[in-house]
Amino acid sequence: MSVILEQAIGDEISAAVKRIESTGRSSPLGVTLSLEGANFSVYSKHATGIELLFFNCVDDARPERVIRIDPSTNRTYHYWHVFVPGVKAGQIYGYRVEGAFDPPSGMRFDPAKILIDPYGRSTVVPQNYSREAAREKGDNAAVAMKSVVVDPHAYDWEGDMPLHRPSARTIIYEMHVRGFTRHPSSGVAEKKRGTFVGLIEKVPYLQELGVTAVELMPVFQFDAQDSPPWRVNYWGYAPVSFFSPHQAYSSRQDPLGPLDEFRDMVKALHRAGIEVILDVVFNHTAEGDHNGPTLSLRGLDNITYYILDHDRARYANYSGTGNTLNANHPIVRRMIVDSLRYWVEEMHVDGFRFDLAAILGRGESGQSMPNPPVLWDIESDPVLAGTKLIAEAWDASGLYEVGSFIGDSWKEWNGRFRDDVRSFFRGEERSVGRFADRLLGSPAIYGHKEREVEQSVNFVTCHDGFTLNDLVSYNQRQPGRRQRQP
């Protein structure tokens, strides 16, 4: 009798576990940890099937466990979700998504490819990662980037808060995290060079310079192989995840290391009175053009996430990098705002500089919109209130909005300040009047908006073009031949 009762109880428990595993909830997107396990939710309108894969190691050729998400019980509208008991922080995972592969209609599903979670908070990259394998036919599990389950609340901020320094008293130092300490002359220990923790060691130097904010060139996880042959994408303008810090910038290579090390850096800079501004890329991804790899968004729902050309087998290319994110689609808008909120709430970032921000004003047909929803979503979001929002107010297809960028709280990279100051120092004719206007806060550009002078973010050099020394030394720049190392 007791044996039968024990078996009955065991069967009931097993059935309960299966019910829990087969349900889950649609919100929030990404992974939500609890004491019992983790909820997984991902968006795809046009998929016909989705598998959630768990891996023991980043370079495993086969998943340790495969959970097929049932579309009849685990799909709410276009959200696919499942709760998996027992999952803990550090679990490596990815998705495989089934659906039509029909490029002329915009569909590019490939169930052989491992896809990272668009909302993944941490990303791991195998030693033998292959962008090419994500582009060609066949399984790429052993050489694919993968996502990591994270508990974003498991960190002691020790009372740290964003600084909210007024823009009028802000002096920004643009820097590349790796390049800043990579050379031995930085004085940083070899194992810490080119990392977030290496930057911490240079905080006294930054204080001596008198800067009040650092603007970090892209620190979202990016694809270093998104580059011409025999070169490496060094700058990082090739994002694959909008929520996870770049793994290679961490001295800790465990799955959760980059997350904690980034927050250690933010905390150290704040203690020194220095704000952290991120150069964010929401205009395109590393998935490239129609010949590019399937890493995440392309394989989840291509026609949702990207602006397609008239020939729907190809991508609109307002970014100059092969594709353009469909930023004003409701799902993509939500992802962008959720990303910004995450970096402010959980990572304590003080502001953002938006790369090619004019693209965020384009609709799904590529047209410039008079009131782009995503820009107003960002400006009106209560979590982002008081956060510095800086627009690079142009794109790679001729849209130039310096002095006319949408919104009330946005500041703008003033490219005309850069050009007119250079013209003045070169002694060009009729440059004095323009130079004087720039020194007064460019009222000729911004006067119609009745803004304060800090509307203009003034700069003479940046990561684009000549350095300040080269600016007065050479007439033209020749592209170098030396390969950059990541």
Side-chain angles (χ1 to χ4, degrees):
M1 182 72 176
S2 63
V3 173
I4 295 175
L5 181 60
E6 287 178 7
Q7 183 171 349
I9 292 173
D11 291 343
E12 186 175 340
I13 292 173
S14 177
V17 169
K18 287 181 179 179
R19 283 197 300 272
I20 293 173
E21 183 172 311
S22 65
T23 309
R25 59 186 186 274
S26 61
S27 181
L29 283 162
V31 180
T32 306
L33 273 177
S34 66
L35 294 177
E36 294 77 25
N39 187 77
F40 295 79
S41 179
V42 66
Y43 173 90
S44 181
K45 180 178 181 178
H46 299 96
T48 58
I50 295 183
E51 292 180 336
L52 171 64
L53 289 71
F54 291 159
F55 296 86
N56 289 326
C57 299
V58 63
D59 53 0
D60 284 353
R62 295 182 179 179
E64 175 267 336
R65 183 181 182 188
V66 177
I67 299 171
R68 188 163 186 84
I69 302 178
D70 189 337
S72 62
T73 58
N74 296 61
R75 183 175 181 178
T76 303
Y77 304 110
H78 307 308
Y79 300 93
W80 301 66
H81 46 83
V82 61
F83 183 87
V84 185
V87 173
K88 299 184 184 303
Q91 174 66 59
I92 299 172
Y93 72 101
Y95 290 102
R96 280 187 175 139
V97 181
E98 300 165 5
F101 183 80
D102 183 23
S105 69
M107 300 291 193
R108 290 185 173 271
F109 292 101
D110 185 348
K113 297 296 179 286
I114 301 296
L115 308 179
I116 65 170
D117 183 354
Y119 276 70
R121 266 51 171 179
S122 183
T123 307
V124 286
V125 185
Q127 289 292 326
N128 59 339
Y129 165 71
S130 173
R131 179 178 174 86
E132 188 66 14
R135 191 183 68 83
E136 296 178 337
K137 292 183 179 181
D139 184 282
N140 72 328
V143 294
M145 295 187 194
K146 302 172 182 72
S147 298
V148 183
V149 173
V150 163
D151 180 1
H153 307 299
Y155 183 80
D156 184 4
W157 277 106
E158 302 179 283
D160 177 82
M161 294 292 289
L163 300 180
H164 294 300
R165 186 185 302 276
S167 294
R169 300 207 306 269
T170 298
I171 302 172
I172 300 172
Y173 184 106
E174 185 190 42
M175 71 163 63
H176 186 282
V177 171
R178 180 173 291 283
F180 188 57
T181 61
R182 183 182 169 208
H183 195 272
S185 63
S186 67
V188 173
E190 186 173 358
K191 291 184 178 180
K192 296 180 179 179
R193 291 176 194 157
T195 67
F196 298 125
V197 72
L199 195 156
I200 293 174
E201 294 193 14
K202 302 299 292 183
V203 167
Y205 167 73
L206 294 170
Q207 288 179 300
E208 290 177 9
L209 291 178
V211 301
T212 67
V214 292
E215 181 181 292
L216 306 181
M217 291 172 65
V219 297
F220 291 174
Q221 180 64 48
F222 63 87
D223 186 354
Q225 294 182 14
D226 183 9
S227 62
W230 308 110
R231 292 181 180 270
V232 169
N233 191 310
Y234 184 74
W235 281 358
Y237 292 91
V240 297
S241 171
F242 300 121
F243 289 82
S244 58
H246 189 56
Q247 184 192 36
Y249 289 168
S250 174
S251 65
R252 287 174 50 189
Q253 288 302 293
D254 59 285
L256 303 179
L259 194 70
D260 287 342
E261 196 166 300
F262 178 89
R263 292 187 284 194
D264 289 344
M265 176 197 69
V266 172
K267 188 161 58 175
L269 286 164
H270 282 176
R271 285 174 175 168
I274 298 173
E275 291 184 308
V276 179
I277 298 171
L278 300 188
D279 190 341
V280 292
V281 183
F282 291 117
N283 56 78
H284 75 281
T285 76
E287 291 186 302
D289 63 15
H290 60 286
N291 292 316
T294 298
L295 304 172
S296 181
L297 304 182
R298 172 176 295 180
L300 279 165
D301 211 321
N302 188 59
I303 64 176
T304 292
Y305 286 104
Y306 292 109
I307 298 178
L308 303 183
D309 204 349
H310 298 297
D311 173 2
R312 294 177 70 78
R314 297 175 181 267
Y315 296 89
N317 186 20
Y318 302 109
S319 66
T321 60
N323 66 55
T324 304
L325 207 64
N326 191 11
N328 283 290
H329 185 284
I331 295 301
V332 186
R333 283 163 50 195
R334 176 182 175 184
M335 179 179 66
I336 291 172
V337 174
D338 284 348
S339 169
L340 297 172
R341 289 168 64 106
Y342 174 74
W343 288 97
V344 169
E345 289 186 304
E346 302 296 344
M347 308 296 268
H348 286 207
V349 163
D350 301 275
F352 305 94
R353 177 264 187 190
F354 292 75
D355 179 66
L356 298 182
I359 287 180
L360 301 183
R362 292 185 182 271
E364 63 179 351
S365 299
Q367 78 280 14
S368 180
M369 306 174 74
N371 283 293
V374 69
L375 295 179
W376 287 112
D377 283 354
I378 293 169
E379 173 151 333
S380 62
D381 188 89
V383 171
L384 303 179
T387 300
K388 289 182 171 63
L389 304 174
I390 304 171
E392 183 184 35
W394 55 83
D395 66 16
S397 297
L399 195 58
Y400 192 82
E401 297 179 337
V402 173
S404 60
F405 196 76
I406 295 296
D408 297 319
S409 64
W410 290 81
K411 308 297 185 287
E412 299 173 17
W413 258 30
N414 191 345
R416 290 177 61 181
F417 180 97
R418 172 199 59 203
D419 297 341
D420 291 339
V421 169
R422 291 181 180 186
S423 295
F424 175 79
F425 280 99
R426 284 197 299 261
E428 294 183 7
E429 293 184 6
R430 295 185 294 277
S431 63
V432 174
R434 299 196 305 272
F435 177 68
D437 188 80
R438 302 300 162 261
L439 292 183
L440 292 173
S442 299
I445 300 173
Y446 298 108
H448 67 286
K449 288 192 172 186
E450 298 181 350
R451 304 282 184 84
E452 299 296 329
V453 293
E454 62 266 21
Q455 171 78 16
S456 171
V457 177
N458 299 329
F459 67 102
V460 178
T461 62
C462 62
H463 63 275
D464 291 324
F466 286 113
T467 67
L468 188 59
N469 183 67
D470 291 342
L471 189 63
V472 295
S473 304
Y474 303 99
N475 293 323
Q476 62 184 12
R477 180 182 60 176
Q478 296 291 342
R481 296 181 177 274
R482 186 178 64 180
Q483 180 180 353
R484 289 278 196 178
Q485 297 297 322

